[in-house]
Amino acid sequence: MSSVPPPSPSEPARLAALARYRVLGTPPEASFDRITRLAAQVLGVPLAAVNLVGEDHQWTKACLGGEATETALGESFCVWTVRQEGAVLVVPDARQDPRFRDYAAVRSGAVVAYAGAPLVTPDGHRIGTLCVTAPRPRDFTPAEQETLELLAGMVVDELELRLRTEELTRARDHAHTLRDLAELMGEPLSPGEMARRALRLLGGAMRLDWAGLLHLSAQASEVLSDHASAPADGFGAEVRWRLLDPAGELRPTLLGWERVFLDDAAAVAGRCPELLTAGLASAAWLHVQVEEERHMPGGAYVLLLARLGEPAAWSEEERLLLEAAARSVGVALERAEYLQALEHAALTDALTGLGNRRALDDALDEADTRLAATGEGYVLGVVDLDGMKRVNDERGHASGDDLLREFGRGLPAPGLHAYRLGGDEYALLGPVAPGDDPTRWAERLRRQVREAVARVQAQGYPADASLGVAAVPGDAPGATGALRRADARMYEDKRERGTGRGTRRDEPAEHPLAWET
């Protein structure tokens, strides 16, 4: 006869019920020790134990009169108790029972008599036993068997109490985490810092081996912030590689996802097999909404949460926490976008879309800082658009605004930044590498202004422009002196060409002017 009875068709559900208690491998607990002591005293036996029967082994949660051990099912009395149909399994003399007589404990004389009552969960699954043994043959009366059953019921009650306590503790901890995430939304944090703090909070509230805030787009994708346990560093590197490598499967596979929870390896294999090979066992993928039904410009922001090794389904409480974290990061992204828009508006001329005077001041400060640090100089051009008054008088201010916009559109070029200082005044700024000839850049500024003049003249505007250029450090040591020198040269150019501020020559030039500084 086989030393292990065959499992029933409901074995997967029984193992799931056992796993739900999360008790395997946990240290001794006084409540279970008290029950084994009571069982041994009442039944007059030297050994009593609470054993839990897993897929391949029997594990002891509490034991009086022996050691808490892990036993293979081929040497287990309790697996017979769990897989039989009856209530208490009684073995008066195992030496005479063909099922057990070859067990090592029986051959050694340590176990002769056995009685085990199944631990039956509220939904009817037999997950283990409360058992007693004796080194001599003996029977167990119906009253003793009933006592063992009652005590086994107390073990299940303790398991249920333990489970409910853990659930309440987790619910309390999750509530605290939700509160902390809500408070996090009120802090003026950058999206990356918000994600780091949110991911740390989640890592303390649930099992997370790796978590990251990703930005995905068809052009470029990256991990903006991540949180990982030490063994998950390799997984994070794999995610980065697949995001950055144009041939990687991750970006096109996941770009369109918005809210996905993958609870096991089969689900992972079905949706992102390329990460299954990297060790992913369970995953959560949440699109970070910045506004209702709206994606961030230029791509999508998502939270990717990963469990490696053993899969573990995402509980409802965990899903709520993850969605709250996605909302908190979304708030930070929305705040950052709003502040960025405010900053852009504060540095942008509303009419032309060019940088304004404040933007030029900031750019000059940065240029002076680079000059001191690296020796990189710059050229600065001050431009005055001639002919605005005539356009305003003859065509109206709307046409004057169109002239300002069209002229401004012709000024920027690669490496050359344009600004509108107000009215009909503009500025151009370009870098000059150490050792480079600043006159080359000065000529480039002149050429750019000529092209802008030709642009508006081609559209029928009777306009020209005056330009003054100064180089730093050649003409001045810094921005203040360069502005004065360029402005003076612009007025000198205006006088030499016979134009007055806000006026034009009697006849517009047929060709762009040759500028002199």
Side-chain angles (χ1 to χ4, degrees):
M1 182 178 294
S2 172
S3 61
V4 178
S8 70
S10 63
E11 180 71 359
R14 187 192 74 81
L15 292 172
L18 173 60
R20 185 169 61 92
Y21 289 105
R22 291 186 290 275
V23 69
L24 296 179
T26 58
E29 297 176 51
S31 57
F32 298 103
D33 292 339
R34 284 193 293 268
I35 295 174
T36 57
R37 181 177 296 276
L38 182 60
Q41 289 178 353
V42 171
L43 298 179
V45 293
L47 186 144
V50 173
N51 290 323
L52 301 166
V53 177
E55 184 176 8
D56 302 307
H57 290 81
Q58 164 190 295
W59 184 79
T60 302
K61 173 62 179 173
C63 185
L64 177 73
E67 295 183 357
T69 60
E70 187 177 279
T71 305
L73 294 188
E75 292 284 329
S76 168
F77 285 86
C78 296
V79 69
W80 291 87
T81 304
V82 166
R83 292 181 177 178
Q84 71 169 5
E85 293 296 329
V88 177
L89 173 65
V90 175
V91 182
D93 189 345
R95 297 169 303 180
Q96 309 302 319
D97 193 316
R99 296 173 297 179
F100 310 114
R101 62 190 177 195
D102 292 328
Y103 283 9
V106 175
R107 292 199 308 270
S108 69
V111 176
V112 175
Y114 168 91
L119 305 178
V120 184
T121 66
D123 49 358
H125 295 292
R126 301 156 75 102
I127 61 171
T129 70
L130 172 64
C131 67
V132 296
T133 67
R136 298 181 304 275
R138 64 162 288 182
D139 207 345
F140 292 87
T141 67
E144 290 174 324
Q145 294 180 39
E146 183 181 6
T147 298
L148 198 59
E149 282 187 281
L150 292 173
L151 293 173
M154 292 175 61
V155 172
V156 174
D157 290 342
E158 287 294 334
L159 288 172
E160 284 288 314
L161 178 61
R162 183 179 183 278
L163 177 61
R164 299 292 172 254
T165 301
E166 287 185 354
E167 289 174 346
L168 288 173
T169 301
R170 281 198 307 276
R172 180 203 62 196
D173 293 343
H174 285 179
H176 289 169
T177 304
L178 282 171
R179 179 202 63 198
D180 293 341
L181 286 171
E183 291 177 354
L184 204 59
M185 292 186 197
E187 298 189 27
L189 302 175
S190 68
E193 181 60 24
M194 176 72 79
R196 277 190 288 274
R197 294 200 191 182
L199 295 177
R200 281 200 298 269
L201 286 173
L202 293 176
M206 66 182 75
R207 176 194 156 197
L208 284 179
D209 296 311
W210 188 89
L213 173 64
L214 282 57
H215 177 251
L216 303 183
S217 72
Q219 293 75 36
S221 299
E222 60 181 324
V223 177
L224 299 179
S225 179
D226 68 335
H227 177 77
S229 60
D233 288 339
F235 178 80
E238 179 77 6
V239 171
R240 282 182 169 82
W241 176 82
R242 292 191 178 277
L243 286 175
L244 296 175
D245 185 354
E249 300 91 339
L250 179 62
R251 188 170 63 206
T253 300
L254 302 184
L255 186 56
W257 293 9
E258 290 207 0
R259 182 180 180 274
V260 176
F261 291 97
L262 306 176
D263 289 332
D264 52 37
V268 171
R271 300 298 290 266
C272 48
E274 65 279 359
L275 290 182
L276 182 67
T277 60
L280 184 64
S282 303
W285 177 271
L286 292 95
H287 175 81
V288 178
Q289 292 284 0
V290 179
E291 288 182 4
E292 190 67 24
E293 300 300 328
R294 184 173 73 84
H295 293 271
M296 288 287 287
Y301 290 84
V302 295
L303 286 177
L304 173 60
L305 302 308
R307 288 170 172 166
L308 310 181
E310 290 297 321
W314 304 96
S315 69
E316 197 59 38
E317 294 83 359
E318 289 174 335
R319 296 183 183 210
L320 289 173
L321 281 180
L322 295 176
E323 289 170 352
R327 286 193 297 273
S328 70
V329 175
V331 166
L333 288 168
E334 190 170 59
R335 183 187 294 123
E337 182 188 41
Y338 176 69
L339 294 175
Q340 186 179 23
L342 287 179
E343 182 68 14
H344 179 73
L347 297 174
T348 302
D349 174 61
L351 179 65
T352 64
L354 300 176
N356 58 17
R357 180 58 186 259
R358 178 183 165 188
L360 175 63
D361 289 342
D362 289 348
L364 289 173
D365 287 343
E366 293 175 4
D368 283 341
T369 300
R370 283 195 304 274
L371 174 64
T374 68
E376 179 183 276
Y378 56 93
V379 292
L380 174 65
V382 174
V383 184
D384 190 77
L385 178 61
D386 302 322
M388 272 293 300
K389 184 176 185 303
R390 179 178 175 182
V391 172
N392 284 335
D393 291 344
E394 295 179 357
R395 304 185 186 184
H397 288 281
S399 291
D401 288 346
D402 289 339
L403 170 59
L404 291 171
R405 275 191 291 265
E406 289 303 316
F407 183 73
R409 286 171 184 162
L411 291 177
L416 185 63
H417 300 282
Y419 305 86
R420 182 181 176 223
L421 306 184
D424 52 7
E425 291 185 341
Y426 296 81
L428 292 169
L429 182 64
V432 178
D436 197 1
D437 183 3
T439 60
R440 184 177 64 86
W441 265 101
E443 178 54 35
R444 185 178 179 192
L445 265 64
R446 296 185 185 99
R447 184 171 61 251
Q448 199 64 33
V449 172
R450 289 198 299 267
E451 291 177 0
V453 168
R455 174 190 180 95
V456 296
Q457 289 181 349
Q459 297 181 36
Y461 292 103
D464 293 320
S466 303
L467 170 68
V469 179
V472 176
D475 292 320
T480 301
L483 276 169
R484 291 196 186 102
R485 182 63 62 88
D487 198 52
R489 287 175 172 174
M490 183 272 292
Y491 278 105
E492 182 181 345
D493 176 57
K494 188 182 294 289
R495 286 193 301 270
E496 289 178 356
R497 295 187 302 106
T499 63
R501 186 169 184 79
T503 64
R504 58 179 294 280
R505 293 177 298 176
D506 292 336
E507 296 294 333
E510 295 181 2
H511 302 286
L513 299 177
W515 304 104
E516 299 291 341
T517 58

